[in-house]
Amino acid sequence: MEKIKFVKVIINHKSNQTDRAYTYKIPEKLIGKIHIASRIIIPFGKGNRTIEGFVVDIVDHIDIDYEKVKYVKSMVEESDILSEELIDLCRWMKEKYLCKFIDAIQCVIPTGISLKSKKRIVLNKNFKEKELSSYRLSEKQGKIIKLLLDRSHVTEDFLKKYLQDSNINAVIKSLEDKNMIVVKNALKSDVNTAFEKKIRLLDKEDIRILINKVNKNAKKQREVLAYLLEHKEVLWGDIKEKMNVSLSTIQTLSDKGFVEMIEVEKRRDPYKNMDVLSTEALALTKEQTFTIQQIIPYIDKNTYKPFLIHGVTGSGKTEVYMQLIHYLFNQSKEAIVLVPEIALTSQMIERFKGRFGNNVAVLHSKLSLGERYDEWNRIKNGEVKIAVGARSAVFAPFKNLGMIIIDEEHEHTYKSDYSPKYHAIDVAKFRCIQNNGVLILGSATPSIESYQKSLNGEYHKIEMRSRFNNNSLPGMEIIDMRKELEKGNKSIFSACLHEGIMNNLKKGEQTILFLNRRGHSTFISCRKCGYVVKCPNCEISLTYHAASFDAVCHYCGYTKKPPKICPACESKYIKYFGVGTEKIEVMTKKYFPQAKVARLDLDTTSKKGEMDRTLDQFKKGKIDILIGTQMIAKGLDFPNVTLVGVIAADTNLNLPDFRANEKTFQLITQVAGRAGRGEILGNVVVQTYGPDHFVIDCAKDHDYKYFYQQEIMLRKEFFYPPYARLINILFTAENEAQLIKETHNFANMLRGKLLECKMNLREVLHGPHPAPLSKIKEKYRWQIIIKSNPVDQNTIKGIINDIRFDNRGNHFSKDINISIDIDPYSML
DNA sequence: AGCACGCCGACT
DNA sequence: GTCGGCGTGCTC
């Protein structure tokens, strides 16, 4: 007799209490079919409701009561969406980020694919309409029955919308108890494979003879046959458009046995309308060749090897990436290319599609569920060899992964905001080790952590110092805005920047103005009593948007008209302070009425395609001055831009954030890189109130190394990463008093256990205290920050987990949400 | 998540 | 004395 085997299953419930592997028996019919990573359906709970689960292990014996163990019900039709490699990755993520196993799985599989139980409600066959009056029904019950008398069924989701109530379980149950309705449960995913019709010629006999068999009057049928003669098979959508035929024509031909209609899987292609310029490999500079030569041996060797390419903007990193990938192809291995965000993605995608055509799949959040799913499937099925995308593309399910490239590796977008708060570099490293792949991090301004690793040998460092056309880096001018004020210039433009813009307008060259704050005025305040207009849901000040005359909360979107009279002291001296991009736009139009001005920030790009439209206009020279936030700092490559103005370089410099210097240096360097990418030398004007700060100084001289030396000393002195490792535990709740109590409770337990481990409390534990954003969307936020020696972090993670789950009789209220961020990007 | 169990207030 | 409210605890 064959040994009965058991599977360990992670079930698809996002509850802390079900975050463990459940054991199931494998029914005979599934033995040999189920393997690790299979997606299966299992009965769960008292009513044996069916839910989705993922096999994480297969074992021979178990240590729980055999009778208690249930059988696996079936396998999901699309069962192999995960692989053993990815399950291992999830297990690692669970440990590393202290998240639930299922959260890690959700992160790795495409959104929308997981099965949700959807209730379908129909009338009970035994229920007679004429007896309706004999039931005493509540208003809601009556509404549901009335609805069901009109239609065959309703779904739970529909009912929720119809009754405008998300809590409808009770009312459904009550009708079920009265035997009036029947509830059917079905597991469904939000995203499905799309199909389309394909028409194919059945070549039984010579087609020319066939055509003559068709009635001469049936002109359309003959046309279709003639077309098919040439093309053999054709998609219904295509032929419909081209020849204006109706489905009945095809149906007739099919009935006659001339053609057949088959359903084929359809790939929704998000870029089908993109006309890409196909490119050939460019001739390489010496430096590029040298870079590639250093990496290729490791591709050949088939071992894990991480590289940091420190290359100035315009040094031609992308061409290096593409040629490396081309080399990888010869080894029939696949590559993932990560880019920070969507603004950058489109230029990168264009270049990759241009070079590699249909071998590229694209993954990012702006795609629809269906599009993303299909792109993911193209990767899964080996139809493509390259995945280009944002953070989550690091999970691309390639079978033979050879390389992961992370461009602009210092970008904060590689760190996830949602649980698990993973960092794409960590995940990429893990995947490359698993697959013996090459990891390539590229940046002009590497993160302090990465650069340190490249100095201590953990990463192989490669430098690219010269710009592609041998252009020099743009000249930087630092303007002390305090001196401007002394000279009587109260405008937001220094004399120097003003003159530069004027000159550019005369010469017909373009200008970019950068400010990292959107809106018109960043806060509204009473000059008499100091009252500041704040969001009632979030503890932050509202930003004034002049276009709509609204005061808007940038965290929750709360909007109201700004007060004309101070609500606190009833004075009329309400003033608008702080400058945002919207105000810059207004001022620019005022000072340079002859210029064509456009603005790019979150407010102007919320409409789909708006961003590409503006950038296209800019590219065509229809815009003289482009104003924007972060999103114009990165990647844009316009040769006619010869002047970049940084309106206020130090907005972030004085924030209580250990990464403030790093962020500022990176931002100035990046924005500066937008200037002088063409034939003409570029110029950058940086306005600041603190021109002596070493960050400004280093940025001016394009001196990353000196910046690094200064900054790493500060990190050491104040015990910050990479010398320390951070953990941020964020507690949120609506009830502030309870939140504070529970947070302190947690901190006390933590303190006790840390003492047991002989940790230096003063150094390690910070807080609890209100989070820098102490209230967002009606929820109060408190946090505990743990700063430790890198070697101690695992111990501390263990302690946190113990407190979270092992505290029987001392548990934390369900009303309090605990979110753990391991190695947070910043403390803000 | 969702379902059963169990303990308190409003009603027949 | 019972119906039903939802707080609590468990699901292989």
Side-chain angles (χ1 to χ4, degrees):
Chain A
M1 197 187 95
E2 199 177 336
K3 234 191 255 171
I4 297 172
K5 288 206 174 183
F6 305 88
V7 281
K8 296 281 187 183
V9 184
I10 298 295
I11 62 165
N12 193 357
H13 267 180
K14 44 181 177 180
S15 153
N16 277 330
Q17 288 143 73
T18 51
D19 179 32
R20 55 202 163 101
Y22 289 88
T23 311
Y24 283 85
K25 297 172 197 165
I26 306 178
E28 205 161 329
K29 59 171 183 177
L30 292 180
I31 290 176
K33 288 184 182 159
I34 287 190
H35 50 84
I36 291 178
S38 287
R39 184 159 67 134
I40 57 176
I41 308 274
I42 41 172
F44 190 70
K46 297 255 162 65
N48 283 334
R49 286 165 301 111
T50 51
I51 51 164
E52 177 187 35
F54 296 88
V55 176
V56 293
D57 208 358
I58 295 185
V59 293
D60 287 327
H61 26 69
I62 50 174
D63 44 16
I64 52 171
D65 182 10
Y66 179 86
E67 293 308 316
K68 215 177 153 189
V69 179
K70 298 174 183 174
Y71 277 101
V72 171
K73 185 159 179 266
S74 60
M75 293 178 77
V76 180
E77 213 170 298
E78 269 176 286
S79 181
D80 61 337
I81 59 173
L82 282 170
S83 60
E84 219 169 318
E85 180 217 327
L86 291 174
I87 288 288
D88 286 342
L89 174 66
C90 290
R91 195 176 281 120
W92 169 82
M93 282 172 79
K94 177 180 159 63
E95 298 288 315
K96 163 100 193 173
Y97 298 110
L98 300 183
C99 66
K100 281 163 255 168
F101 208 131
I102 194 65
D103 284 338
I105 292 176
Q106 293 287 6
C107 206
V108 170
I109 61 180
T111 17
I113 200 175
S114 73
L115 300 177
K116 291 176 194 151
S117 114
K118 307 251 171 169
K119 280 186 184 141
R120 219 178 110 114
I121 297 147
V122 294
L123 278 181
N124 191 325
K125 273 184 224 129
N126 301 325
F127 167 72
K128 305 265 165 16
E129 192 180 348
K130 53 189 171 193
E131 291 164 10
L132 183 58
S133 52
S134 67
Y135 292 94
R136 257 192 275 154
L137 296 182
S138 71
E139 188 196 349
K140 268 185 190 167
Q141 291 172 328
K143 269 189 178 174
I144 295 175
I145 296 296
K146 237 178 227 160
L147 201 63
L148 280 168
L149 287 168
D150 274 351
R151 50 184 82 203
S152 59
H153 71 270
V154 291
T155 63
E156 189 184 15
D157 289 345
F158 180 86
L159 263 189
K160 280 181 187 170
K161 269 187 223 148
Y162 182 76
L163 296 174
Q164 302 201 339
D165 189 353
S166 58
N167 221 340
I168 57 171
N169 275 344
V171 66
I172 292 176
K173 187 109 206 311
S174 66
L175 287 171
E176 204 180 3
D177 289 346
K178 288 181 198 287
N179 280 325
M180 296 175 81
I181 60 169
V182 176
V183 180
K184 290 177 183 170
N185 237 321
L187 288 173
K188 277 197 174 154
S189 62
D190 289 338
V191 66
N192 290 301
T193 309
F195 287 94
E196 60 188 337
K197 289 189 182 70
K198 198 176 211 176
I199 297 145
R200 190 157 50 178
L201 204 56
L202 291 169
D203 48 356
K204 280 185 249 163
E205 37 187 321
D206 190 64
I207 193 70
R208 272 159 278 255
I209 302 168
L210 270 181
I211 289 187
N212 287 321
K213 280 189 184 168
V214 176
N215 191 323
K216 287 225 163 56
N217 295 332
K219 217 172 124 201
K220 279 287 172 207
Q221 293 183 29
R222 288 187 152 214
E223 274 176 36
V224 171
L225 282 180
Y227 185 87
L228 279 172
L229 184 58
E230 225 177 290
H231 296 90
K232 287 281 180 230
E233 53 179 39
V234 62
L235 289 175
W236 160 236
D238 291 348
I239 198 170
K240 184 184 168 191
E241 203 176 295
K242 255 181 220 147
M243 309 184 71
N244 192 27
V245 289
S246 70
L247 197 59
S248 67
T249 309
I250 309 294
Q251 196 58 55
T252 315
L253 283 172
S254 167
D255 291 346
K256 285 180 182 163
F258 296 167
V259 301
E260 66 171 353
M261 254 198 294
I262 45 173
E263 293 272 317
V264 291
E265 272 189 30
K266 182 188 177 178
R267 291 269 185 261
R268 288 155 281 208
D269 181 1
Y271 292 92
K272 64 166 175 264
N273 294 325
M274 186 165 101
D275 40 342
V276 282
L277 215 61
S278 111
T279 64
E280 294 293 318
L282 302 174
L284 296 176
T285 63
K286 264 188 200 160
E287 219 174 39
Q288 286 174 321
T289 310
F290 181 65
T291 303
I292 290 175
Q293 278 170 353
Q294 287 186 74
I295 298 172
I296 276 183
Y298 291 95
I299 298 177
D300 291 337
K301 258 192 249 170
N302 210 6
T303 73
Y304 167 68
K305 181 77 184 173
F307 293 88
L308 176 70
I309 302 181
H310 180 201
V312 295
T313 33
S315 57
K317 289 193 291 283
T318 309
E319 187 61 31
V320 168
Y321 301 155
M322 291 201 285
Q323 301 215 6
L324 282 170
I325 289 174
H326 196 263
Y327 186 85
L328 203 69
F329 277 10
N330 300 333
Q331 322 252 337
S332 53
K333 285 190 242 171
E334 296 121 0
I336 295 171
V337 182
L338 298 187
V339 285
E341 58 197 303
I342 174 91
L344 253 181
T345 330
S346 61
Q347 285 204 346
M348 203 69 145
I349 291 165
E350 234 170 272
R351 294 185 70 175
F352 273 83
K353 287 236 172 192
R355 183 71 57 85
F356 299 106
N358 284 334
N359 258 320
V360 183
V362 174
L363 291 168
H364 58 74
S365 58
K366 286 282 161 70
L367 303 181
S368 73
L369 271 190
E371 286 169 345
R372 218 179 317 168
Y373 178 53
D374 286 357
E375 291 293 282
W376 182 87
N377 259 321
R378 293 171 69 208
I379 297 168
K380 176 96 205 161
N381 298 337
E383 293 166 36
V384 296
K385 290 230 164 23
I386 310 167
V388 180
R391 179 178 64 228
S392 63
V394 76
F395 300 113
F398 283 121
K399 290 188 183 74
N400 211 357
L401 186 61
M403 185 189 302
I404 300 180
I405 295 168
I406 303 186
D407 194 31
E408 311 288 336
E409 64 86 29
H410 60 275
E411 282 293 333
H412 69 275
T413 47
Y414 289 127
K415 173 90 178 164
S416 171
D417 309 326
Y418 312 106
S419 179
K421 297 186 172 174
Y422 67 91
H423 198 298
I425 294 181
D426 293 336
V427 176
K429 221 179 267 181
F430 186 85
R431 290 200 75 187
C432 282
I433 291 170
Q434 271 178 311
N435 290 287
N436 292 316
V438 169
L439 175 65
I440 296 172
L441 309 177
S443 176
T445 52
S447 71
I448 296 292
E449 288 93 328
S450 292
Y451 200 75
Q452 195 204 33
K453 289 196 172 92
S454 81
L455 290 180
N456 70 21
E458 196 173 322
Y459 297 159
H460 183 131
K461 186 172 74 161
I462 304 175
E463 284 181 20
M464 294 175 71
R465 283 169 231 232
S466 51
R467 294 184 101 183
F468 194 62
N469 304 329
N470 269 327
N471 283 354
S472 356
L473 286 160
M476 290 260 225
E477 204 143 353
I478 309 294
I479 305 295
D480 185 347
M481 289 307 275
R482 293 171 304 191
K483 286 199 179 128
E484 291 289 313
L485 209 60
E486 278 169 29
K487 279 188 248 164
N489 178 8
K490 286 185 194 162
S491 120
I492 48 174
F493 300 110
S494 59
C496 172
L497 183 55
H498 191 276
E499 193 187 326
I501 296 175
M502 272 307 197
N503 272 334
N504 254 24
L505 285 172
K506 264 182 227 152
K507 288 186 287 183
E509 294 168 13
Q510 290 168 301
T511 304
I512 286 180
L513 295 180
F514 172 83
L515 179 67
N516 203 11
R517 245 194 261 134
R518 64 197 174 92
H520 183 272
S521 306
T522 44
F523 66 103
I524 306 164
S525 170
C526 169
R527 290 185 83 170
K528 202 170 168 200
C529 72
Y531 169 85
V532 175
V533 181
K534 283 186 174 174
C535 174
N537 311 319
C538 315
E539 189 52 39
I540 85 163
S541 53
L542 299 183
T543 299
Y544 180 63
H545 285 243
S548 55
F549 305 106
D550 280 327
V552 180
C553 171
H554 282 182
Y555 279 86
C556 73
Y558 171 86
T559 300
K560 74 167 183 181
K561 296 290 173 209
K564 294 211 160 51
I565 293 168
C566 173
C569 74
E570 300 192 340
S571 86
K572 287 183 284 185
Y573 304 110
I574 295 286
K575 263 281 240 181
Y576 295 50
F577 296 89
V579 177
T581 43
E582 212 179 293
K583 191 164 187 176
I584 302 288
E585 187 185 9
V586 174
M587 299 312 262
T588 308
K589 282 177 176 162
K590 186 177 153 197
Y591 284 105
F592 311 100
Q594 71 276 37
K596 280 160 281 172
V597 179
R599 174 165 60 97
L600 266 189
D601 54 33
L602 210 68
D603 299 310
T604 61
T605 55
S606 49
K607 271 185 239 142
K608 202 180 174 184
E610 192 68 33
M611 169 132 188
D612 288 336
R613 196 151 44 238
T614 307
L615 287 179
D616 193 53
Q617 297 260 303
F618 194 57
K619 196 179 192 168
K620 287 178 181 151
K622 288 180 184 164
I623 294 167
D624 300 314
I625 304 174
L626 183 68
I627 297 160
T629 53
Q630 296 258 13
M631 62 173 68
I632 62 165
K634 294 156 199 163
L636 302 185
D637 188 356
F638 299 110
N640 199 31
V641 174
T642 54
L643 175 64
V644 166
V646 180
I647 301 296
D650 37 22
T651 44
N652 289 330
L653 216 44
N654 300 313
L655 295 176
D657 175 11
F658 73 90
R659 224 179 272 278
N661 293 338
E662 184 181 333
K663 282 182 190 167
T664 304
F665 181 84
Q666 286 163 351
L667 211 53
I668 296 177
T669 307
Q670 269 169 15
V671 183
R674 301 310 112 220
R677 297 180 79 89
E679 303 289 311
I680 316 159
L681 190 68
N683 239 321
V684 182
V685 176
V686 178
Q687 303 186 159
T688 172
Y689 287 92
D692 316 319
H693 199 290
F694 82 93
V695 167
I696 305 279
D697 225 35
C698 293
K700 174 178 172 251
D701 299 336
H702 305 286
D703 193 345
Y704 176 84
K705 277 180 196 167
Y706 188 65
F707 161 74
Y708 170 81
Q709 284 162 15
Q710 301 286 304
E711 180 64 16
I712 196 83
M713 271 160 40
L714 289 175
R715 299 280 178 96
K716 188 168 191 177
E717 193 179 329
F718 295 102
F719 196 45
Y720 275 116
Y723 294 100
R725 300 274 298 262
L726 303 176
I727 298 174
N728 188 352
I729 314 176
L730 180 70
F731 302 77
T732 52
E734 281 181 30
N735 182 333
E736 193 181 15
Q738 193 191 9
L739 174 70
I740 294 172
K741 198 180 128 224
E742 301 260 17
T743 309
H744 276 95
N745 188 6
F746 196 108
N748 286 336
M749 296 171 78
L750 200 56
R751 195 168 289 127
K753 296 219 180 194
L754 288 174
L755 274 177
E756 278 172 34
C757 297
K758 302 198 168 57
M759 303 257 180
N760 180 346
L761 279 189
R762 196 168 294 173
E763 228 168 56
V764 170
L765 189 73
H766 300 256
H769 46 62
L773 290 157
S774 59
K775 187 186 176 193
I776 294 181
K777 296 184 194 177
E778 298 274 277
K779 291 205 163 161
Y780 291 92
R781 299 150 57 86
W782 276 61
Q783 67 182 19
I784 297 171
I785 288 171
I786 300 157
K787 223 169 155 188
S788 71
N789 275 319
V791 288
D792 291 333
Q793 202 188 40
N794 273 332
T795 317
I796 294 173
K797 284 201 296 202
I799 292 174
I800 293 173
N801 242 353
D802 285 352
I803 298 176
R804 241 198 333 172
F805 300 122
D806 226 34
N807 52 345
R808 285 171 235 285
N810 207 352
H811 22 182
F812 293 92
S813 159
K814 273 183 191 159
D815 304 335
I816 297 199
N817 189 292
I818 303 178
S819 160
I820 298 173
D821 192 346
I822 306 293
D823 303 330
Y825 172 72
S826 105
M827 312 235 285
L828 291 186

